[in-house]
DNA sequence: ATTGGAATTGAGAATCAGTCTCAATTGAAC
DNA sequence: GTTCAATTGAGACTGATTCTCAATTCCAAT
């Protein structure tokens, strides 16, 4: 579980695994898919947990540093995160109509990346492919 | 040349091809590679051209709408643009050490995208692949 | 348990990119 | 030249995120 990893990470840096941090982590782990800081903050308030916006942001940065979550994308409305602990690496399709994000994984893409890097003498560490377009639902809507 | 396209685009919308807009477009076209609004604004001031920050931002939005430039990426320091008029579609490698951006194009990647979309019933319109890692120079630096 | 000091917290101030407002200016068409 | 809508620039505003700092909390050594 992520709690172990996070508290170990903090201990190593002589930092503390506080109630606030625990609450924030729990809320993140207990929800599916992508999230943004503001919604997370509101969800936390709803639940009666306490944590200020500042703490939410601070904790998100810590969780990124220890690899439990990842910044997926910066948009005009802020940063989108996702937790890495559950699912493996994948890429995204973004519906330009409804904003929905679809995850996918392609082994061929991974191999292709390696090839491209080798050719350029670039040492690839990670990548992200975003495909923009229209999801099934929105294609139908458009037709009618 | 981009000037034609832009002024036509504006005329169609009953908008004006002003000195300011012309100056901004020229500065963009006369420089290579990627740019950000603030640097562009400063470069314009340097040159003695006049255009406020507001006009720069407004013009960048117009140029995006008419397809002469594209938003490449949002970073913590703002949006990075590039002009599309010159070079064709390509993707990016981003050096995590020096921040340098390397462009590349892969036909295989284009085909792969099509395949991935077809499989998911997603109507792909465009994509961007960003590979993060270390460029040749920075790999050498790290070794020594 | 008590204490001391370092880490953390929350409220709000500060920052920063980008947009908006609005009065003054410009320009195309009559 | 007159007219009127489009444009401009300065600065106010917004929204996301970070920073500040006094008050609080936690750990660890006494």
């Amino acid at each position: 579980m992520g709690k172990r990893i996070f508290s170990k990470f903090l201990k190593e840096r002589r930092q503390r695994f506080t109630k606030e941090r625990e609450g924030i982590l729990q809320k993140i782990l207990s929800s599916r898919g992508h999230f943004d800081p503001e919604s997370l903050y509101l969800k936390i308030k709803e639940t009666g947990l306490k944590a200020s916006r500042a703490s939410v942001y601070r904790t998100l940065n810590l969780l990124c540093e220890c690899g439990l979550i990842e910044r997926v994308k910066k948009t005009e409305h802020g940063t989108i995160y996702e937790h890495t602990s559950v699912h493996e690496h994948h890429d995204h399709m973004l519906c330009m109509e409804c904003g929905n994000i679809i995850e996918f994984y392609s082994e061929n893409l991974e191999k292709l990346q390696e090839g491209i890097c080798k050719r350029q003498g670039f040492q690839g560490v990670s990548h992200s492919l975003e495909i923009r377009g229209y999801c099934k639902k929105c294609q139908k809507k458009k037709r009618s």
Side-chain angles (χ1 to χ4, degrees), chain A:
Chain A
M1 177 166 253
K3 213 179 281 192
R4 280 278 151 69
I5 298 170
F6 193 31
S7 86
K8 190 180 161 198
F9 168 81
L10 289 170
K11 192 160 283 176
E12 275 167 11
R13 302 168 33 139
R14 284 194 229 87
Q15 293 188 287
R16 292 172 189 160
F17 189 49
T18 61
K19 293 185 222 356
E20 287 83 356
R21 287 175 181 169
E22 186 173 356
I24 293 166
L25 176 59
Q26 239 162 13
K27 264 278 161 289
I28 291 172
L29 293 178
S30 73
S31 73
R32 280 273 126 215
H34 304 83
F35 65 93
D36 65 278
E38 183 65 12
S39 320
L40 177 60
Y41 169 69
L42 293 175
K43 219 187 293 175
I44 284 167
K45 296 231 92 173
E46 269 177 31
T47 327
L49 290 171
K50 82 183 194 22
S52 64
R53 256 188 204 79
S55 288
V56 168
Y57 278 103
R58 283 187 288 233
T59 304
L60 288 177
N61 287 336
L62 288 170
L63 289 169
C64 278
E65 282 182 62
C66 80
L68 281 172
I69 65 175
E70 240 174 41
R71 291 184 183 88
V72 170
K73 186 175 169 54
K74 285 195 188 286
T75 75
E76 38 284 355
H77 310 301
T79 304
I80 299 173
Y81 293 83
E82 73 184 2
H83 42 257
T84 51
S85 49
V86 194
H87 35 49
E88 293 299 307
H89 163 74
H90 57 258
D91 291 286
H92 296 105
M93 293 176 183
L94 172 63
C95 179
M96 302 192 303
E97 187 71 22
C98 65
N100 196 28
I101 296 178
I102 300 162
E103 299 176 359
F104 69 89
Y105 173 80
S106 160
E107 187 58 38
N108 288 334
L109 175 58
E110 306 302 313
K111 283 183 190 143
L112 187 57
Q113 175 192 334
E114 280 176 40
I116 291 169
C117 288
K118 201 167 282 178
R119 228 169 294 141
Q120 309 262 347
F122 191 83
Q123 180 191 348
V125 171
S126 66
H127 73 248
S128 49
L129 172 63
E130 178 183 284
I131 302 181
R132 290 170 295 277
Y134 300 100
C135 69
K136 275 185 193 167
K137 277 186 198 170
C138 292
Q139 284 172 52
K140 276 181 200 161
K141 255 184 246 165
K142 288 205 146 191
R143 265 182 239 125
S144 52

